[in-house]
Amino acid sequence: MARVLIVGAGLTGSLCAALLRKETPRPVHLTVWEEAGDSGGRMATARSPCNPQSTVDLGAQYITRTPHYAKKHQSFYDELLAHGILKPLTSPIEGMVMKEGDCNFVAPQGLSSVVKHYLKESGAEVSFRHRVTQINLRNDKWEVSKERGSPERFDIVVLTMPVPQILQLRGDIANLISECQRQQLESVRYSSRYSLGLFYEAGTKIDVPWAGQYITSNPCTRFISIDNKKRNIESSEVGPSLVVHTTVPFAVTYLEHSTEDVQELIYQQLESILPGLRQPVVTKCQKWRYSQLCPPQGVVQLNVILNICQLNQSSKFSTREHYVDLRCSLENTGSINQAHMRQPGGGILVGNFIYDTFILPAHL
């Protein structure tokens, strides 16, 4: 049985695992390693330690289904809607730009529930606090080392972390990337942001007419959401939750500062926008060093074709086409990159660095 390692338990990793399980005819043992303490990646949802029913989306805020994706991937949306993981966004978001035919969705349990759904569907063995440091080729297997614990060997490795983290990996993986490709990869840039989640006591009122608002006149604050209101969830037993996303210039200026100092600055700006706001019970500040892709000219694609070796010898790994397209579709959100990607003709797509995905060739 082939052993497959997927590094990263965000949307890319979880969806890749689910589609491998669903569409690969040969038995595979799926393993997912995640550096953080929970799944979600840039679709992370935080829970209040005082009341786990109180949640806040620290990354993506909603999912946009365009007419293009509705036509190609309606079955995926139908599945998520049928399971109650997604529901239409009906709460008012001030300043949101809507294009003709677009439909927005929120997740009642937080957007990380989309990731958790796909991980559950995959049946993969998921481990947290596993940071990959080195990948080497040993006896036709990929030996993957992490910060703690012994190395493990796999037939296939899928990397779904941002480009800079891929380039930092040591070992034989560095020899797979030509100098030209490395230069292209090093030119890839990401924007950075901070987000601040705030949890309040039950009974607290935040009296504003909107559930979310895009801010254009503040040097620090770009977006505010009353997170429970955004999902139409209000309860006398659960206090409201609020999230603030900063502007990119603010994050760049304070990227290497302590989160405690940054949190205080964000909160000061929030008070100027929402005067009279009560003190939260708990806060959670998240630094997004790699928030959104910044292509230098429009949509930048770098597709790396390695030697062909399929799990399914008859179909050239057709699951890859679905996985690539849907990943792009589901990340067309209010705070995540909205670029478009297409499957290149011929061969097998084994890497798309721009979408944080790189698949090492199988040795089966």
Side-chain angles (χ1 to χ4, degrees), residues 136-196:
N136 291 292
L137 190 59
R138 298 282 187 268
N139 298 322
D140 290 333
K141 301 284 186 180
W142 293 106
E143 184 179 84
V144 185
S145 301
K146 48 190 183 292
E147 277 189 331
R148 298 179 181 86
S150 302
E152 296 186 38
R153 295 187 179 186
F154 301 89
D155 299 289
I156 299 174
V157 177
V158 182
L159 304 177
T160 70
M161 62 269 257
V163 173
Q165 294 179 347
I166 293 176
L167 291 175
Q168 291 169 7
L169 293 174
R170 304 189 305 273
D172 295 336
I173 182 176
N175 300 326
L176 294 174
I177 304 173
S178 70
E179 185 58 32
C180 178
Q181 290 169 345
R182 182 172 293 277
Q183 290 176 4
Q184 289 179 288
L185 292 174
E186 289 173 346
S187 71
V188 175
R189 296 291 181 266
Y190 292 80
S191 64
S192 301
R193 296 179 189 271
Y194 279 94
S195 62
L196 177 63

Side-chain angles (χ1 to χ4, degrees), residues 62-120:
Y62 51 86
I63 288 173
T64 300
R65 184 189 63 195
T66 66
H68 171 76
Y69 293 126
K71 182 178 180 180
K72 294 192 68 175
H73 303 302
Q74 187 60 46
S75 62
F76 291 98
Y77 293 100
D78 288 344
E79 176 188 347
L80 294 172
L81 289 165
H83 283 83
I85 296 166
L86 293 182
K87 69 178 184 179
L89 169 62
T90 59
S91 301
I93 307 293
E94 290 189 0
M96 181 171 64
V97 178
M98 287 288 292
K99 296 181 180 180
E100 184 178 355
D102 284 358
C103 184
N104 294 314
F105 300 95
V106 291
Q109 300 302 316
L111 276 174
S112 69
S113 62
V114 175
V115 173
K116 295 180 189 298
H117 168 75
Y118 286 127
L119 287 175
K120 182 179 179 181

Side-chain angles (χ1 to χ4, degrees), residues 1 22 51 54 64 98 124 170 197 208 212 241 245 357:
M1 181 184 299
K22 179 181 179 181
N51 188 336
S54 180
T64 300
M98 287 288 292
R170 304 189 305 273
V208 293
S241 56
H245 283 251
T357 306

Side-chain angles (χ1 to χ4, degrees), residues 170-245:
R170 304 189 305 273
D172 295 336
I173 182 176
N175 300 326
L176 294 174
I177 304 173
S178 70
E179 185 58 32
C180 178
Q181 290 169 345
R182 182 172 293 277
Q183 290 176 4
Q184 289 179 288
L185 292 174
E186 289 173 346
S187 71
V188 175
R189 296 291 181 266
Y190 292 80
S191 64
S192 301
R193 296 179 189 271
Y194 279 94
S195 62
L196 177 63
L198 305 99
F199 300 95
Y200 294 88
E201 290 182 338
T204 301
K205 300 296 182 182
I206 303 177
D207 191 17
V208 293
W210 40 263
Q213 184 181 56
Y214 285 93
I215 310 293
T216 59
S217 58
N218 189 282
C220 168
T221 308
R222 180 67 181 101
F223 181 78
I224 301 174
S225 172
I226 315 300
D227 223 44
N228 59 299
K229 189 175 180 180
K230 178 188 70 180
R231 304 183 216 137
N232 285 322
I233 298 175
E234 297 194 53
S235 168
S236 59
E237 299 178 357
V238 181
S241 56
L242 184 150
V243 65
V244 181
H245 283 251

